[in-house]
Amino acid sequence: MVQRSEACALDLGYTVFLGNTMNNSENESKYLHSLVEKQVDGIIYLGGRINDTETDQEYAQEIKKVMERVPIVFVNGQMAGVDAHVVRTDEETGIDKLVELLINLNHKKIGFLGGKEGISSTDVKKASFVQAMKSKGLGVSEDWVLGTGFNIESGEEVASQLLFLKERPTAVICANDLVAIGVIKVLTKFGLKVPDDVSVVGFDDIYLAKHFPPGITTVSQNYDKLGQTAINVLVDLINEKEAAKETVVPTSLVLRDSCKLFSG
């Protein structure tokens, strides 16, 4: 997404400055104040505190003060009480597509792995997963909903927990592709085959998803479109043009080899 945003901005005559806060709130504040002092034309805000389900009002006030001087576009996040323009991917529909796919492959015991409670993307995906399962008349076992984070190690951890259960799901939806990679690594290490024994699907469609064996079925967040849309909305705000308060970018299902028809 960042590369596409930068390319789009350059085409429109703007230069992009990238600030990686490394998930540190103090760094976020430093970058915000620095960018305002440098009199940037606008800010695209991705990750960090705007991903918290519960808004810290001190942070919200800080953002409001910045918005008085510089237009801001949130990407895949929001803050309660902050009237920002938002560009987001349709994560809800993406999860619905994964659930429907697995059910069509005769899976009824489906788990959700990865993510972290209190982070909006996780909470949205989990809620969508539960709702999609209920709409199909299927229950959700709490033992099969496990999450400690978003990286490969998190996937390894939750997969290890699954191995000790008396009853395991026949398919799992992972919060992202990195978690899916960790899950597949552990399942394979302990003699289970993906997708013969367990179907595993991810979310995001990162580069590795295509190349990590057996090839991960996933949902594309359409990062190019997301980045381009964020820049277009921000440039409209910079030029004092009207822009939609919320823009939803559709997701798409990417079929590979990590899930198959369940014959049990």
Side-chain angles (χ1 to χ4, degrees), residues 192-243:
L192 295 174
K193 295 180 179 180
V194 176
D196 294 347
D197 296 314
V198 183
S199 287
V200 179
V201 298
F203 206 101
D204 288 345
D205 194 28
I206 63 174
Y207 176 79
L208 281 175
K210 180 179 180 180
H211 300 284
F212 188 83
I216 300 171
T217 290
T218 186
V219 167
S220 170
Q221 293 225 42
N222 203 349
Y223 284 126
D224 283 354
K225 180 68 173 177
L226 190 69
Q228 182 176 350
T229 302
I231 287 293
N232 288 338
V233 171
L234 184 61
V235 170
D236 281 345
L237 296 177
I238 290 169
N239 293 319
E240 299 182 353
K241 295 180 180 179
E242 288 190 13

Side-chain angles (χ1 to χ4, degrees), residues 105-109 170 195-197 260-264:
L105 291 173
N106 201 34
H107 293 279
K108 295 180 175 62
K109 299 176 180 179
T170 63
D196 294 347
D197 296 314
K260 66 178 292 186
L261 183 68
F262 178 67
S263 58

Side-chain angles (χ1 to χ4, degrees), residues 79-109:
M79 297 185 84
V82 177
D83 190 27
H85 286 71
V86 176
V87 177
R88 68 176 182 87
T89 47
D90 189 357
E91 294 179 311
E92 298 93 334
T93 301
I95 291 294
D96 288 346
K97 291 175 181 176
L98 290 174
V99 171
E100 183 176 7
L101 170 68
L102 293 174
I103 290 175
N104 287 341
L105 291 173
N106 201 34
H107 293 279
K108 295 180 175 62
K109 299 176 180 179

Side-chain angles (χ1 to χ4, degrees), residues 73-85:
V73 173
F74 289 171
V75 176
N76 280 342
Q78 59 185 8
M79 297 185 84
V82 177
D83 190 27
H85 286 71

Side-chain angles (χ1 to χ4, degrees), residues 29 176 193:
S29 295
N176 63 23
K193 295 180 179 180

